[in-house]
Amino acid sequence: MSSDQQQRPATQLVTGGRGRETFEFVNPPIVRGSTVLHPTVADMKARIAARNAGADEPITYGIYGGPTHQAFYEALNTLEGGHRSWALPSGLTACAIALQAFVRSGDHVLVPDSVYGPVRRFCNDTLVRFGVRTTYYDPRIGAEIERLFTPTTRVLWLESPGSHSFEMQDVPLLAAIARAKGAISAIDNTWATPLYFQPLKVGVDLSVHAATKYIGGHSDLLMGTVTSNERAWPQLREALHAYGLTTSPDDCALALRGLRSMAARLVQHEANARTLIAWFKAQPEVERVLYPGDADDPGHALWKRDMTGACGLFGVLLKTGIAEAKVHAFIDSLQLFGRGYSWGGFESLLIASFPERTVTPNPFTGRLFRVHAGLEDTRDLTADLERGFAALRG
Ligand SMILES: *Cc1c(COP(=O)(O)O)cnc(C)c1O
């Protein structure tokens, strides 16, 4: 069955990228390979010409992807309303390439103060060595972003919500301003997943995912993806090809398998998150929960306007005056929640969270933790939290 733009997103997750199956299996074959044989010289030339003309990426050599890659890319394009998608070795690689593909020495990029930490380090330590300057901005800046653009601003980076501090951004507004200023807009869309938000449909040029999280969904895959509109694709493709960035077909098959069940998983992640959030809100030590899907969150109106669901990741801010050692005792006493990086897998995680800030206040130090609600029974999860809060109070 071919993908159909009229289908709803949960259906597209199941049907996207189909049609390359062999022997009537439901899934595409995992085709491993470097060399692709061409029947004639003329055919070799024609495929390269087709690529240069912007046609579908023809299969010419393993580094540019084969049928397994293409099935996954097509599924992403269908979901996001994209022109082309590409898979990279990690979410961080996807962020780094989406930024650097559009800049040269002397250029400038705008990055929200809530950005995923390693992207901040890429800007501060690597882009800067190539003469590219970064200005950090308040993620809630709105139309005021306009005055931060300079004649050399090439990329407006977005992350909504931030994956530690959870501020929602007015994405359609910011993307429209970037376009008016002649800059590319790119968003880290990992929290919303391609199911709950399609940024290209509201004017963003590039949607980036850590497919490591919900797309993979089982804590056994490291992958990033970039989905581009037609405008940004030629320049992005140049960078992807310049570095020879590629992934294994086995990893693409895992990512595609993750997509198939993602709608069902996300429903449960969100339901479990909401149950845990209700529990946290009832604890006297908790100042507030950071989750745009929650009606009390400052980003709730934007979330409701732009997104069709929320995932299982949220922050919990404790009241001031609780010793950091007590917070650590709480986290260390948990037996079901894991202490580990990443999120989006089947398992619940809970870590102390230290967002870095350079242009906005940082009210978080020493009293913020981040929860990933996995797929366990929430009665077992809240029992674990009861034990943890006993340690916090002890
Ligand atoms: C995890 C994460 C990344 C990076 O993904 P990796 O695959 O771990 O490199 C990027 N952005 C956000 C918001 C993330 O949570």
Side-chain angles (χ1 to χ4, degrees), residues 223-236:
M223 181 186 280
T225 64
V226 190
T227 299
S228 171
N229 62 14
E230 206 165 346
R231 172 169 106 112
W233 175 244
Q235 210 167 332
L236 177 68

Side-chain angles (χ1 to χ4, degrees), residues 154-362:
R154 302 290 173 235
V155 182
L156 173 65
W157 190 257
L158 308 167
E159 185 179 329
S160 180
S163 65
H164 284 272
S165 47
F166 298 93
E167 297 93 339
M168 286 293 295
Q169 300 196 265
D170 191 338
V171 175
L173 174 77
L174 295 167
I177 293 170
R179 185 157 303 202
K181 295 283 185 186
I184 288 287
S185 58
I187 187 169
D188 184 331
N189 195 29
T190 304
W191 188 89
T193 80
L195 181 63
Y196 288 157
F197 186 42
Q198 294 92 35
L200 272 57
K201 295 180 184 169
V202 298
V204 180
D205 296 303
L206 300 170
S207 176
V208 176
H209 288 279
T212 305
K213 312 292 165 57
Y214 287 111
I215 292 176
H218 294 77
S219 303
D220 56 3
L221 175 69
L222 287 163
M223 181 186 280
T225 64
V226 190
T227 299
S228 171
N229 62 14
E230 206 165 346
R231 172 169 106 112
W233 175 244
Q235 210 167 332
L236 177 68
R237 190 185 68 175
E238 188 183 295
L240 293 167
H241 288 189
Y243 285 101
L245 284 163
T246 188
T247 51
S248 80
D250 310 68
D251 283 351
C252 287
L254 273 180
L256 193 58
R257 184 170 75 163
L259 282 183
R260 302 305 187 208
S261 64
M262 195 173 73
R265 286 186 283 112
L266 279 170
V267 167
Q268 197 61 47
H269 283 293
E270 176 173 352
N272 285 5
R274 290 184 185 279
T275 300
L276 298 182
I277 285 167
W279 185 91
F280 280 115
K281 284 173 127 183
Q283 310 308 313
E285 293 86 354
V286 170
E287 182 169 306
R288 71 180 184 93
V289 171
L290 287 57
Y291 188 66
D294 187 72
D296 295 334
D297 190 272
H300 187 65
L302 284 176
W303 172 80
K304 211 167 169 175
R305 186 192 70 184
D306 292 345
M307 295 182 180
T308 54
C311 71
L313 190 77
F314 60 94
V316 178
L317 189 64
L318 294 169
K319 289 179 178 160
T320 50
I322 299 170
E324 202 168 349
K326 292 276 187 193
V327 181
H328 294 180
F330 151 58
I331 297 173
D332 289 347
S333 71
L334 296 170
Q335 293 173 11
L336 190 50
F337 284 88
R339 289 162 290 272
Y341 298 109
S342 202
W343 45 280
F346 50 80
E347 79 286 17
S348 288
L349 299 167
L350 197 153
I351 58 168
S353 181
F354 305 95
E356 191 182 337
R357 291 294 154 138
T358 49
V359 297
T360 50
N362 188 346

Side-chain angles (χ1 to χ4, degrees), residues 46-56 58 83-84 230 233-234 237:
R47 290 193 210 184
I48 298 302
R51 170 189 299 154
N52 292 341
D56 261 341
H83 174 63
R84 293 283 187 280
E230 206 165 346
W233 175 244
R237 190 185 68 175

